[in-house]
């Protein structure tokens, strides 16, 4: 018996067997010579056995005949093995053709998912429609995936261990299939959430896209979540004044110390799982901005602080706002140059207008500046203004 795992191994055995058969005439002649010598010995010698060997010519003859009978059996075994390995090889090629195609297809579909959100001209509703069609397309290819699984079962039944025609295994293809399906579904769900936020928070699609772009930039493993380190880096990139060591420390009414970043973490990750979802990120970025919709409202808030003047002084800002919030505003306001200006007066009108227009106030996008301002500067209510 012999065990082979490829056509090449069977062919090497066939070659060796043919070489062996080619030597048979020579060995047959040797056997005939031995028979001839035994006959000559029997004529000239009277002893019954050969003191130099225990082998007898009859025993050699029996062994020789047995060998001749085994040769055709060996021929048949090798032929059967060759047919079997050729069938296995065809099965390898069939699986490889399907697997290679399927792997390329999943890669192309993943690219389509990226393109669905990369196109600057696609609205959120268009993205959602596209992803819906893409999800149906992916689910429509499930029969091809199931065919691969059936081929893999045949391969396992045939005890095939290697496939030189394919670098993909069923395990890797299964991972690709699951990742593709989950990726489309996750992306579709993300766009649905963006539309929900857009409609419920009253922000436009450009704002949503900019927040998504910032989030995705720090989502290094593309799992739709930021760890706390990535989230802090994202806030810094958006212009938040988050200190790299202990952040900014405030004091509450009881005198206890807490960091701004810790306060934010409890908003976006209340269970402290270590992960911030895009939905939580969107909620945080829009929850305070939703109460400050226009430049007029910001201007009205500063007018209260300034006592109805067209300018405001650093002293007034520092008197009314917490220190880090006051310094944030002072650093970003330009000097007021009106006819009623006094030394050190600041132009809160241009500051507020800049938040809703094109401005060099911040190197980040306009939406990011507005959102930072909404968190750092609380708006005075109409009740406060009337009082």
């Amino acid at each position: 018996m012999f065990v082979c795992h490829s056509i090449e191994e069977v062919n090497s055995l066939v070659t060796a067997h043919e070489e062996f058969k080619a030597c048979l005439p020579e060995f047959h002649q040797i056997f005939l010579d031995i028979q001839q010598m035994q006959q000559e010995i029997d004529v000239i010698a009277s002893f019954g056995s050969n003191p130099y060997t225990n082998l007898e010519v009859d025993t050699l003859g029996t062994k020789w005949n047995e060998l001749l009978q085994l040769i055709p059996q060996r021929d048949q075994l090798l032929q059967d093995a060759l047919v079997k390995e050729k069938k296995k090889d065809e099965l390898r090629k069939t699986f490889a053709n399907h697997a290679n195609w399927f792997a390329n297809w999943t890669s192309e579909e993943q690219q389509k998912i990226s393109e669905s959100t990369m196109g600057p001209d696609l609205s959120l509703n268009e993205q959602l429609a596209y992803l819906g069609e893409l999800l149906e397309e992916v689910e429509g290819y499930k029969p091809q995936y199931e065919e691969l699984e059936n081929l893999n079962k045949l391969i396992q039944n045939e005890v095939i261990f290697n496939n030189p025609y394919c670098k993909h295994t069923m395990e890797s293809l299964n991972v690709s299939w699951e990742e593709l399906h989950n990726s489309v579904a996750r992306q579709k769900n993300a766009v649905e959430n963006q539309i929900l936020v857009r409609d419920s928070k009253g922000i436009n699609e450009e704002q949503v896209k900019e927040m998504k772009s910032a989030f995705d930039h720090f989502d290094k493993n593309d799992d739709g979540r930021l760890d706390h380190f990535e989230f802090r880096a994202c806030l810094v990139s958006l212009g938040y004044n988050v200190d790299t060591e202990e952040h900014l420390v405030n004091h509450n009414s009881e005198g206890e110390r807490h960091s701004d970043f810790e306060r934010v973490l409890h908003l976006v990750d209340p269970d402290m799982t270590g992960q911030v979802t895009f939905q939580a990120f969107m909620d945080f970025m829009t929850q305070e901005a939703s109460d400050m919709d226009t430049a007029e409202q910001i201007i009205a808030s500063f007018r209260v602080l300034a006592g109805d003047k067209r300018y405001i002084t650093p002293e007034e800002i520092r008197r009314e706002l917490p220190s880090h919030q006051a310094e944030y505003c002072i650093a970003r306001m330009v000097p007021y140059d009106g006819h009623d200006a006094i030394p050190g007066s600041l132009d809160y009108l241009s500051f507020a207008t800049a938040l809703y227009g094109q401005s060099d106030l911040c190197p980040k996008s306009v939406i990011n500046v507005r959102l930072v301002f909404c968190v750092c500067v609380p708006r005075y209510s109409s009740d406060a203004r009337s009082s």
Side-chain angles (χ1 to χ4, degrees):
M1 292 296 295
F2 53 85
V3 177
C4 294
H5 299 291
S6 67
I7 293 176
E8 290 74 16
E9 291 181 9
V10 177
N11 283 335
S12 66
L13 292 177
V14 170
T15 300
H17 186 58
E18 293 300 322
E19 292 175 351
F20 168 74
K21 290 195 294 182
C23 297
L24 287 178
E26 178 183 353
F27 287 111
H28 184 247
Q29 184 59 50
I30 293 174
F31 175 67
L32 293 177
D33 292 342
I34 293 174
Q35 284 183 321
Q36 180 63 35
M37 285 187 289
Q38 182 63 47
Q39 293 174 0
E40 294 177 359
I41 290 173
D42 291 340
V43 171
I44 64 177
S46 58
F47 53 82
S49 62
N50 189 334
Y52 300 105
T53 180
N54 293 324
L55 295 175
E56 298 180 354
V57 174
D58 291 342
T59 302
L60 292 176
T62 301
K63 295 294 184 183
W64 177 255
N65 291 329
E66 290 176 352
L67 175 62
L68 294 178
Q69 292 175 2
L70 289 174
I71 289 175
Q73 297 178 23
R74 178 76 170 182
D75 288 335
Q76 188 60 49
L77 287 174
L78 289 172
Q79 185 61 34
D80 293 343
L82 187 59
V83 170
K84 184 177 181 180
E85 287 305 318
K86 284 182 177 179
K87 289 182 178 179
K88 287 184 178 180
D89 209 52
E90 287 300 318
L91 186 56
R92 290 188 184 97
K93 290 179 180 178
T94 301
F95 179 85
N97 290 336
H98 285 73
N100 291 334
W101 176 89
F102 191 81
N104 291 335
W105 173 76
T106 55
S107 178
E108 292 172 357
E109 293 300 295
Q110 288 285 10
Q111 183 63 30
K112 288 182 182 179
I113 298 173
S114 300
E115 292 173 351
S116 70
T117 56
M118 288 173 59
D121 298 329
L122 287 179
S123 68
L124 289 176
N125 289 336
E126 289 172 336
Q127 291 180 33
L128 182 61
Y130 179 82
L131 288 168
E133 294 174 358
L134 195 58
L135 184 59
E136 290 182 3
E137 179 182 344
V138 170
E139 292 175 344
Y141 277 89
K142 190 173 183 180
Q144 283 81 348
Y145 173 76
E146 292 174 344
E147 184 177 0
L148 266 172
E149 286 187 317
N150 292 332
L151 287 171
N152 186 62
K153 290 178 181 178
L154 292 176
I155 286 177
Q156 291 177 331
N157 292 337
E158 293 294 336
V159 197
I160 298 175
F161 297 105
N162 64 321
N163 191 340
Y165 309 107
C166 181
K167 63 180 180 180
H168 308 290
T169 64
M170 195 61 222
E171 289 74 16
S172 66
L173 293 172
N174 181 61
V175 171
S176 297
W177 167 256
E178 292 294 335
E179 286 181 348
L180 174 61
H181 188 275
N182 293 339
S183 182
V184 179
R186 183 172 60 246
Q187 190 65 39
K188 182 173 179 288
N189 183 66
V191 174
E192 289 174 338
N193 288 336
Q194 292 174 49
I195 292 175
L196 180 63
V197 170
R198 179 199 65 187
D199 297 340
S200 63
K201 302 294 184 180
I203 59 178
N204 59 47
E205 290 198 6
E206 186 63 27
Q207 293 170 329
V208 175
K209 286 183 179 180
E210 294 217 22
M211 284 187 279
K212 185 68 166 65
S213 176
F215 186 91
D216 289 345
H217 177 75
F218 291 93
D219 184 13
K220 301 302 183 183
N221 59 354
D222 195 29
D223 65 348
R225 295 177 175 82
L226 300 180
D227 61 33
H228 289 177
F229 177 81
E230 292 170 335
F231 176 61
R232 185 177 67 180
C234 185
L235 291 183
V236 172
S237 76
L238 293 174
Y240 280 83
N241 190 15
V242 180
D243 189 74
T244 55
E245 298 197 6
E246 188 52 34
H247 325 302
L248 295 172
V249 178
N250 295 330
H251 296 267
N252 60 19
S253 58
E254 285 76 23
E256 296 177 353
R257 292 162 58 88
H258 69 278
S259 74
D260 281 352
F261 185 61
E262 289 172 353
R263 174 182 62 81
V264 172
L265 282 181
H266 282 289
L267 293 175
V268 298
D269 185 17
D271 296 329
M272 299 306 288
T273 63
Q275 301 290 325
V276 179
T277 65
F278 179 66
Q279 182 64 47
F281 176 77
M282 289 273 286
D283 290 342
F284 166 72
M285 296 299 288
T286 58
Q287 63 182 346
E288 295 188 51
S290 62
D291 291 331
M292 192 169 295
D293 299 324
T294 67
E296 286 75 15
Q297 290 175 321
I298 301 177
I299 293 170
S301 297
F302 275 110
R303 185 175 293 116
V304 174
L305 297 182
D308 287 332
K309 299 189 300 293
R310 294 180 61 83
Y311 61 85
I312 192 168
T313 65
E315 291 74 18
E316 289 171 328
I317 297 176
R318 292 190 178 104
R319 183 175 64 247
E320 299 293 343
L321 298 179
S323 60
H324 66 282
Q325 296 177 0
E327 297 307 320
Y328 176 92
C329 296
I330 293 170
R332 288 160 176 79
M333 287 186 184
V334 299
Y336 176 70
D337 58 1
H339 64 87
D340 54 344
I342 64 173
S345 59
L346 300 173
D347 187 354
Y348 64 80
L349 179 64
S350 64
F351 173 75
T353 304
L355 295 179
Y356 282 82
Q358 298 301 320
S359 172
D360 294 327
L361 185 62
C362 179
K364 302 299 178 182
S365 63
V366 176
I367 175 61
N368 293 340
V369 177
R370 294 203 295 262
L371 290 172
V372 171
F373 175 74
C374 293
V375 174
C376 293
V377 181
R379 178 169 63 90
Y380 278 52
S381 66
S382 58
D383 293 339
R385 289 199 296 272
S386 63
S387 62

